[in-house]
Amino acid sequence: SVGDNDSLMDALGHTDVPVEINLTNSLSNVTNFNVTGDVTLNMDKNMLTSSSSIVGATLKVTEGGSLTINAVANDYGFDYTAGGLSANGDGSQITVNGGRYGVSGAFGAEVSATDGGVVTINSGIFTSSGYQGHAVMATNGATIYVNGGRFGSSGAQSTVIFADGGTIVVESCEFSGVNGKRYSVANDGQILISKTFSSQKPTSVASGCSVSDNGNGYWVITAD
């Protein structure tokens, strides 16, 4: 069990063996939470915040690390489990099972995967409030699997789910607070939307994108 910043950093230092961390209370001033090993983080309703009590701490996985977050979403306000989540580089992985996450700032993304990283979202609440922001973004060969959860982007000209050279597979989700479009694609990215989730052809798609039927149970959104 971990209940302070020093203990958390010490637990994360064991990168050569899998580590399971049970967070017993909320921690502040955790501005750069980096994972390079194999970490399971059990948080319940506890939170990781940066220097401001209302800003969630960033959780970043690199160097082929793996992070599984098991959390319970707080009900309202700025009580975020954490801030931005990102998996960077081949082999780097994040799995999210619950919690409530939020970011702000122009062009930002609540959940991002880059350069071959992989993110699997099974449940949770994910929002972005910045100008042209995104709840979920996959870039440069990365993949994000959306199996559940609630997603929104309230900033002007925002897109909730954005595949910028990566792939996003949507099996099931809920949209909330969409100020813009649900889906957008650029730079040879693609979004696959299960027909089980959306029996009708998706219409909330950014300009310059097309929707087709791949014949295997998915709508496919690509850039024109």
Side-chain angles (χ1 to χ4, degrees), residues 43 59 69-71 79-85 96-103 110-111 123-128:
M43 299 183 64
L59 307 183
I69 302 171
N70 300 313
D79 293 334
Y80 297 119
T81 301
L85 310 177
V96 186
N97 301 313
R100 186 169 182 269
Y101 309 85
V103 294
E110 171 45 58
V111 179
S123 60
I125 303 170
F126 309 86
T127 58
S128 169

mmCIF file of all heavy atoms in Angstrom, residues 43 59 69-71 79-85 96-103 110-111 123-128:
data_model
loop_
_atom_site.group_PDB
_atom_site.id
_atom_site.type_symbol
_atom_site.label_atom_id
_atom_site.label_comp_id
_atom_site.label_asym_id
_atom_site.label_seq_id
_atom_site.Cartn_x
_atom_site.Cartn_y
_atom_site.Cartn_z
ATOM 1 N N MET A 43 -6.582 2.430 -7.432
ATOM 2 C CA MET A 43 -6.766 3.772 -6.868
ATOM 3 C C MET A 43 -8.070 3.957 -6.113
ATOM 4 O O MET A 43 -8.198 4.912 -5.349
ATOM 5 C CB MET A 43 -6.675 4.820 -7.985
ATOM 6 C CG MET A 43 -5.345 4.832 -8.683
ATOM 7 S SD MET A 43 -5.217 6.126 -9.939
ATOM 8 C CE MET A 43 -5.349 7.617 -8.931
ATOM 9 N N LEU A 59 -0.022 10.971 -16.471
ATOM 10 C CA LEU A 59 0.512 9.625 -16.374
ATOM 11 C C LEU A 59 1.037 9.230 -17.747
ATOM 12 O O LEU A 59 0.274 9.121 -18.705
ATOM 13 C CB LEU A 59 -0.572 8.633 -15.930
ATOM 14 C CG LEU A 59 -1.349 8.981 -14.658
ATOM 15 C CD1 LEU A 59 -2.324 7.880 -14.308
ATOM 16 C CD2 LEU A 59 -0.404 9.228 -13.493
ATOM 17 N N ILE A 69 -4.694 0.848 -14.828
ATOM 18 C CA ILE A 69 -5.322 1.680 -13.802
ATOM 19 C C ILE A 69 -6.677 1.091 -13.461
ATOM 20 O O ILE A 69 -7.534 0.920 -14.335
ATOM 21 C CB ILE A 69 -5.508 3.128 -14.291
ATOM 22 C CG1 ILE A 69 -4.175 3.747 -14.700
ATOM 23 C CG2 ILE A 69 -6.183 3.966 -13.205
ATOM 24 C CD1 ILE A 69 -4.317 5.095 -15.380
ATOM 25 N N ASN A 70 -6.868 0.785 -12.195
ATOM 26 C CA ASN A 70 -8.168 0.349 -11.679
ATOM 27 C C ASN A 70 -8.667 1.426 -10.731
ATOM 28 O O ASN A 70 -8.045 1.685 -9.694
ATOM 29 C CB ASN A 70 -8.045 -0.992 -10.949
ATOM 30 C CG ASN A 70 -7.517 -2.099 -11.845
ATOM 31 O OD1 ASN A 70 -7.979 -2.261 -12.973
ATOM 32 N ND2 ASN A 70 -6.547 -2.866 -11.354
ATOM 33 N N ALA A 71 -9.765 2.096 -11.088
ATOM 34 C CA ALA A 71 -10.207 3.254 -10.311
ATOM 35 C C ALA A 71 -11.722 3.369 -10.340
ATOM 36 O O ALA A 71 -12.398 2.768 -11.179
ATOM 37 C CB ALA A 71 -9.574 4.527 -10.861
ATOM 38 N N ASP A 79 -12.840 16.735 -9.409
ATOM 39 C CA ASP A 79 -12.256 15.615 -8.676
ATOM 40 C C ASP A 79 -11.828 14.529 -9.650
ATOM 41 O O ASP A 79 -12.482 13.494 -9.811
ATOM 42 C CB ASP A 79 -13.248 15.057 -7.656
ATOM 43 C CG ASP A 79 -13.536 16.036 -6.540
ATOM 44 O OD1 ASP A 79 -12.669 16.882 -6.281
ATOM 45 O OD2 ASP A 79 -14.623 15.957 -5.938
ATOM 46 N N TYR A 80 -10.697 14.758 -10.324
ATOM 47 C CA TYR A 80 -10.221 13.838 -11.347
ATOM 48 C C TYR A 80 -9.283 12.783 -10.765
ATOM 49 O O TYR A 80 -8.427 13.086 -9.935
ATOM 50 C CB TYR A 80 -9.476 14.601 -12.440
ATOM 51 C CG TYR A 80 -10.335 15.577 -13.197
ATOM 52 C CD1 TYR A 80 -10.042 16.936 -13.197
ATOM 53 C CD2 TYR A 80 -11.453 15.135 -13.905
ATOM 54 C CE1 TYR A 80 -10.831 17.834 -13.895
ATOM 55 C CE2 TYR A 80 -12.248 16.021 -14.603
ATOM 56 C CZ TYR A 80 -11.934 17.376 -14.597
ATOM 57 O OH TYR A 80 -12.722 18.258 -15.286
ATOM 58 N N THR A 81 -9.442 11.565 -11.236
ATOM 59 C CA THR A 81 -8.514 10.500 -10.872
ATOM 60 C C THR A 81 -7.093 10.890 -11.239
ATOM 61 O O THR A 81 -6.149 10.701 -10.475
ATOM 62 C CB THR A 81 -8.904 9.196 -11.605
ATOM 63 O OG1 THR A 81 -10.246 8.846 -11.245
ATOM 64 C CG2 THR A 81 -7.950 8.069 -11.273
ATOM 65 N N ALA A 82 -6.932 11.439 -12.446
ATOM 66 C CA ALA A 82 -5.636 11.904 -12.941
ATOM 67 C C ALA A 82 -5.904 12.813 -14.139
ATOM 68 O O ALA A 82 -7.049 13.027 -14.540
ATOM 69 C CB ALA A 82 -4.747 10.735 -13.337
ATOM 70 N N GLY A 83 -4.824 13.336 -14.708
ATOM 71 C CA GLY A 83 -4.946 14.179 -15.888
ATOM 72 C C GLY A 83 -4.712 13.376 -17.150
ATOM 73 O O GLY A 83 -5.269 12.286 -17.326
ATOM 74 N N GLY A 84 -3.864 13.888 -18.030
ATOM 75 C CA GLY A 84 -3.630 13.241 -19.308
ATOM 76 C C GLY A 84 -2.963 11.884 -19.175
ATOM 77 O O GLY A 84 -2.060 11.685 -18.361
ATOM 78 N N LEU A 85 -3.410 10.937 -19.991
ATOM 79 C CA LEU A 85 -2.826 9.599 -20.043
ATOM 80 C C LEU A 85 -2.185 9.418 -21.413
ATOM 81 O O LEU A 85 -2.820 9.698 -22.434
ATOM 82 C CB LEU A 85 -3.893 8.526 -19.845
ATOM 83 C CG LEU A 85 -4.831 8.663 -18.649
ATOM 84 C CD1 LEU A 85 -5.862 7.546 -18.661
ATOM 85 C CD2 LEU A 85 -4.051 8.664 -17.349
ATOM 86 N N VAL A 96 -7.177 1.095 -19.012
ATOM 87 C CA VAL A 96 -7.928 1.901 -18.046
ATOM 88 C C VAL A 96 -9.233 1.202 -17.705
ATOM 89 O O VAL A 96 -10.069 0.960 -18.580
ATOM 90 C CB VAL A 96 -8.221 3.305 -18.592
ATOM 91 C CG1 VAL A 96 -8.870 4.164 -17.501
ATOM 92 C CG2 VAL A 96 -6.955 3.975 -19.100
ATOM 93 N N ASN A 97 -9.379 0.905 -16.425
ATOM 94 C CA ASN A 97 -10.602 0.303 -15.905
ATOM 95 C C ASN A 97 -11.209 1.258 -14.879
ATOM 96 O O ASN A 97 -10.960 1.157 -13.684
ATOM 97 C CB ASN A 97 -10.297 -1.045 -15.253
ATOM 98 C CG ASN A 97 -9.650 -2.034 -16.199
ATOM 99 O OD1 ASN A 97 -10.097 -2.218 -17.323
ATOM 100 N ND2 ASN A 97 -8.568 -2.663 -15.750
ATOM 101 N N GLY A 98 -11.972 2.222 -15.362
ATOM 102 C CA GLY A 98 -12.670 3.144 -14.469
ATOM 103 C C GLY A 98 -11.881 4.386 -14.129
ATOM 104 O O GLY A 98 -10.716 4.549 -14.480
ATOM 105 N N GLY A 99 -12.547 5.301 -13.423
ATOM 106 C CA GLY A 99 -11.943 6.571 -13.034
ATOM 107 C C GLY A 99 -12.528 7.727 -13.822
ATOM 108 O O GLY A 99 -13.339 7.541 -14.737
ATOM 109 N N ARG A 100 -12.093 8.930 -13.465
ATOM 110 C CA ARG A 100 -12.577 10.152 -14.114
ATOM 111 C C ARG A 100 -11.371 11.033 -14.415
ATOM 112 O O ARG A 100 -10.585 11.350 -13.516
ATOM 113 C CB ARG A 100 -13.567 10.872 -13.193
ATOM 114 C CG ARG A 100 -14.253 12.077 -13.826
ATOM 115 C CD ARG A 100 -15.401 12.549 -12.934
ATOM 116 N NE ARG A 100 -16.113 13.666 -13.518
ATOM 117 C CZ ARG A 100 -15.805 14.943 -13.296
ATOM 118 N NH1 ARG A 100 -14.792 15.242 -12.478
ATOM 119 N NH2 ARG A 100 -16.489 15.910 -13.862
ATOM 120 N N TYR A 101 -11.227 11.428 -15.669
ATOM 121 C CA TYR A 101 -10.006 12.082 -16.124
ATOM 122 C C TYR A 101 -10.351 13.333 -16.926
ATOM 123 O O TYR A 101 -11.318 13.344 -17.690
ATOM 124 C CB TYR A 101 -9.188 11.123 -17.003
ATOM 125 C CG TYR A 101 -8.953 9.783 -16.359
ATOM 126 C CD1 TYR A 101 -9.909 8.768 -16.452
ATOM 127 C CD2 TYR A 101 -7.791 9.533 -15.626
ATOM 128 C CE1 TYR A 101 -9.712 7.539 -15.841
ATOM 129 C CE2 TYR A 101 -7.589 8.303 -15.018
ATOM 130 C CZ TYR A 101 -8.552 7.317 -15.122
ATOM 131 O OH TYR A 101 -8.359 6.103 -14.513
ATOM 132 N N GLY A 102 -9.552 14.384 -16.774
ATOM 133 C CA GLY A 102 -9.814 15.606 -17.513
ATOM 134 C C GLY A 102 -8.548 16.391 -17.785
ATOM 135 O O GLY A 102 -7.622 16.404 -16.974
ATOM 136 N N VAL A 103 -8.501 17.029 -18.966
ATOM 137 C CA VAL A 103 -7.413 17.927 -19.316
ATOM 138 C C VAL A 103 -7.990 19.197 -19.930
ATOM 139 O O VAL A 103 -9.124 19.217 -20.417
ATOM 140 C CB VAL A 103 -6.421 17.300 -20.321
ATOM 141 C CG1 VAL A 103 -5.691 16.131 -19.708
ATOM 142 C CG2 VAL A 103 -7.114 16.923 -21.608
ATOM 143 N N GLU A 110 -6.972 14.059 -23.825
ATOM 144 C CA GLU A 110 -7.066 13.398 -22.530
ATOM 145 C C GLU A 110 -6.335 12.057 -22.549
ATOM 146 O O GLU A 110 -5.547 11.759 -21.669
ATOM 147 C CB GLU A 110 -8.537 13.195 -22.164
ATOM 148 C CG GLU A 110 -8.774 12.338 -20.947
ATOM 149 C CD GLU A 110 -7.877 12.690 -19.789
ATOM 150 O OE1 GLU A 110 -7.903 13.835 -19.351
ATOM 151 O OE2 GLU A 110 -7.140 11.808 -19.316
ATOM 152 N N VAL A 111 -6.585 11.271 -23.568
ATOM 153 C CA VAL A 111 -5.899 9.984 -23.732
ATOM 154 C C VAL A 111 -5.197 9.986 -25.077
ATOM 155 O O VAL A 111 -5.820 10.233 -26.105
ATOM 156 C CB VAL A 111 -6.887 8.800 -23.674
ATOM 157 C CG1 VAL A 111 -6.137 7.483 -23.861
ATOM 158 C CG2 VAL A 111 -7.660 8.796 -22.367
ATOM 159 N N SER A 123 -13.468 1.259 -19.316
ATOM 160 C CA SER A 123 -14.486 2.069 -18.649
ATOM 161 C C SER A 123 -13.826 3.323 -18.102
ATOM 162 O O SER A 123 -12.598 3.417 -18.013
ATOM 163 C CB SER A 123 -15.168 1.278 -17.526
ATOM 164 O OG SER A 123 -14.219 0.867 -16.548
ATOM 165 N N GLY A 124 -14.661 4.310 -17.735
ATOM 166 C CA GLY A 124 -14.158 5.567 -17.201
ATOM 167 C C GLY A 124 -14.829 6.751 -17.864
ATOM 168 O O GLY A 124 -15.632 6.605 -18.796
ATOM 169 N N ILE A 125 -14.497 7.951 -17.375
ATOM 170 C CA ILE A 125 -15.029 9.206 -17.903
ATOM 171 C C ILE A 125 -13.848 10.054 -18.348
ATOM 172 O O ILE A 125 -12.925 10.307 -17.565
ATOM 173 C CB ILE A 125 -15.860 9.946 -16.843
ATOM 174 C CG1 ILE A 125 -17.001 9.051 -16.341
ATOM 175 C CG2 ILE A 125 -16.416 11.250 -17.398
ATOM 176 C CD1 ILE A 125 -17.725 9.611 -15.131
ATOM 177 N N PHE A 126 -13.872 10.538 -19.599
ATOM 178 C CA PHE A 126 -12.714 11.195 -20.200
ATOM 179 C C PHE A 126 -13.164 12.464 -20.911
ATOM 180 O O PHE A 126 -13.988 12.412 -21.820
ATOM 181 C CB PHE A 126 -12.033 10.261 -21.201
ATOM 182 C CG PHE A 126 -11.725 8.892 -20.639
ATOM 183 C CD1 PHE A 126 -12.689 7.895 -20.669
ATOM 184 C CD2 PHE A 126 -10.490 8.620 -20.066
ATOM 185 C CE1 PHE A 126 -12.433 6.638 -20.144
ATOM 186 C CE2 PHE A 126 -10.231 7.367 -19.534
ATOM 187 C CZ PHE A 126 -11.191 6.378 -19.570
ATOM 188 N N THR A 127 -12.599 13.620 -20.503
ATOM 189 C CA THR A 127 -13.022 14.878 -21.100
ATOM 190 C C THR A 127 -11.835 15.784 -21.393
ATOM 191 O O THR A 127 -10.806 15.738 -20.716
ATOM 192 C CB THR A 127 -13.985 15.634 -20.174
ATOM 193 O OG1 THR A 127 -13.339 15.877 -18.916
ATOM 194 C CG2 THR A 127 -15.260 14.863 -19.933
ATOM 195 N N SER A 128 -12.013 16.614 -22.415
ATOM 196 C CA SER A 128 -11.044 17.644 -22.766
ATOM 197 C C SER A 128 -11.794 18.960 -22.917
ATOM 198 O O SER A 128 -12.874 18.991 -23.515
ATOM 199 C CB SER A 128 -10.333 17.293 -24.076
ATOM 200 O OG SER A 128 -9.574 18.382 -24.558
#
